[in-house]
Amino acid sequence: MEFFHKSVLLDECIAALNVAEHPDGIYVDGTLGGAGHSLEIVKRLTTGRLIGIDRDRTALAAAEERLKLYMERVTLVHSNFSEIRAILNGLSLSGVDGMLFDLGVSSPQLDDAERGFSYMADAPLDMRMDRDDALTAYEVVNAWSGDELRRIFYEYGEERYAPQVAAAIVRRRQSAPIQTTMELADVIRSAMPPQALREKQHPAKRCFQAIRIAVNDELGSVRRLMEDAIDCLNPKGRLAVITFHSLEDRIVKTAMQAAAKGCPCPPDFPVCVCGKKPRVTVLTRKPIVSAAAELTDNPRARSAKLRVAEKL
């Protein structure tokens, strides 16, 4: 299918990266997707360069087509954004002037039934953002222990009926493996009490999110990214991160605040013993969210939060 994705908070991201003031800079779009953000970045470059990174080869191919008029200023990389330090080292870049990371699952991945992300269409259990990865949703659902399933449903899906759902999955797979997304959705639904089935959102939503996060190690990737990204910025370089759920947002917010504070020594220490200094200024006291017009045009933007920091 055609890889087209509506870029969330597009104008806000371009403003946050301050590309217009530094059209000769080097910028990273670490979650390239359909290249909507990248296209607006590269349009504003003069002698600058854009590094586009994605785990999904389908996204990279679509981005190359969309950016074809600007490819002399673009380098595309198939990798996980959590490898940002190694990626830039491999390109002999000591630092960049702006980085953007949109941590949401792209619309084409959700809408392409065969990718197995959706509980609304039947498909093999997959959910891999990078199809070169070994771990799939099938293995998580059919091979992980009931305790581990319960843990990820609690931690990654914030599913209050995690014990019931995990137990239902274990019971079902004892007779035969759970093969498809609709089978899994039916098992999850069967474990829910009547009041949960009356909720507005689909009963499988939180558990599918949890499995997807586990398959792609999404939270681990964000933690590794936030450990390294600030170090890879040039002075006055900007880091902009869009999150879509509280687990990711907490990691990003905490990392930015820690980098802005610098010294973690207890306040009752007479002097600092760690020697750490602030490394960034956080430019968003509260996260930037989508305006009403964008939400009307793109309902998937409703949970998006943009946080921005500038390297000192």
Side-chain angles (χ1 to χ4, degrees):
M1 66 178 294
E2 182 182 2
F3 201 106
F4 179 76
H5 173 67
K6 286 185 177 179
S7 299
V8 172
L9 294 165
L10 180 58
D11 293 340
E12 292 85 349
C13 286
I14 301 305
L17 292 174
N18 206 21
V19 183
E21 294 297 318
H22 303 282
D24 57 345
I26 300 173
Y27 297 87
V28 170
D29 184 346
T31 45
L32 188 61
H37 290 113
S38 281
L39 181 60
E40 294 306 315
I41 293 170
V42 78
K43 280 180 179 178
R44 291 163 170 78
L45 299 182
T46 52
T47 58
R49 188 152 197 83
L50 172 72
I51 314 299
I53 304 166
D54 208 286
R55 302 172 69 172
D56 191 333
R57 293 185 187 275
T58 305
L60 287 168
E64 185 171 9
E65 174 62 24
R66 193 169 189 186
L67 299 172
K68 61 185 178 183
L69 297 179
Y70 305 94
M71 285 304 294
E72 74 278 2
R73 295 199 290 276
V74 176
T75 300
L76 300 182
V77 180
H78 176 238
S79 187
N80 189 322
F81 58 67
S82 66
E83 301 297 321
I84 185 64
R85 189 189 296 273
I87 292 167
L88 296 181
N89 286 341
L91 296 172
S92 300
L93 294 173
S94 59
V96 299
D97 300 293
M99 295 188 193
L100 170 65
F101 300 92
D102 176 351
L103 303 183
V105 181
S106 66
S107 297
Q109 289 172 333
L110 290 172
D111 296 338
D112 186 353
E114 72 174 35
R115 301 297 294 269
F117 285 99
S118 176
Y119 41 77
M120 303 298 288
D122 206 19
L125 284 170
D126 192 327
M127 299 196 195
R128 289 174 297 173
M129 293 180 181
D130 183 348
R131 286 176 163 177
D132 294 344
D133 289 345
L135 182 63
T136 67
Y138 178 91
E139 182 177 346
V140 171
V141 170
N142 290 290
W144 286 20
S145 70
D147 287 343
E148 189 66 1
L149 290 173
R150 183 172 66 248
R151 181 189 70 80
I152 66 169
F153 293 155
Y154 264 140
E155 292 184 13
Y156 301 165
E158 299 176 295
E159 174 55 71
R160 60 187 180 278
Y161 301 110
Q164 294 93 321
V165 174
I169 289 172
V170 171
R171 285 195 302 271
R172 174 69 70 87
R173 74 191 191 191
Q174 286 174 347
S175 56
I178 299 170
Q179 301 275 0
T180 71
T181 53
M182 295 303 282
E183 284 183 64
L184 177 59
D186 287 343
V187 174
I188 295 170
R189 186 183 290 107
S190 74
M192 296 287 186
Q195 63 267 29
L197 299 178
R198 291 192 292 268
E199 292 179 1
K200 190 173 182 179
Q201 71 177 15
H202 194 285
K205 179 178 180 180
R206 290 182 289 265
C207 291
F208 266 63
Q209 172 183 295
I211 295 167
R212 189 202 78 221
I213 289 173
V215 167
N216 297 287
D217 187 26
E218 293 179 32
L219 300 184
S221 294
V222 176
R223 290 189 187 97
R224 293 190 295 274
L225 165 69
M226 296 305 296
E227 287 172 4
D228 291 341
I230 292 169
D231 288 341
C232 296
L233 286 170
N234 292 326
K236 299 298 181 182
R238 300 276 184 91
L239 172 62
V241 186
I242 303 173
T243 62
F244 286 83
H245 56 76
S246 60
L247 301 173
E248 291 173 337
D249 186 57
R250 193 175 304 131
I251 294 169
V252 173
K253 177 183 178 181
T254 300
M256 286 187 175
Q257 288 179 338
K261 181 180 178 182
C263 172
C265 294
D268 58 347
F269 273 31
V271 295
C272 169
V273 296
C274 72
K276 293 183 178 180
K277 303 295 183 183
R279 296 188 294 151
V280 302
T281 298
V282 177
L283 302 181
T284 46
R285 188 176 65 85
K286 291 184 177 181
I288 298 168
V289 297
S290 298
E294 180 173 14
L295 294 178
T296 300
D297 185 54
N298 183 13
R300 284 178 173 166
R302 65 185 178 276
S303 56
K305 293 181 178 179
L306 171 63
R307 296 187 183 273
V308 186
E310 182 177 275
K311 183 79 171 283
L312 294 174

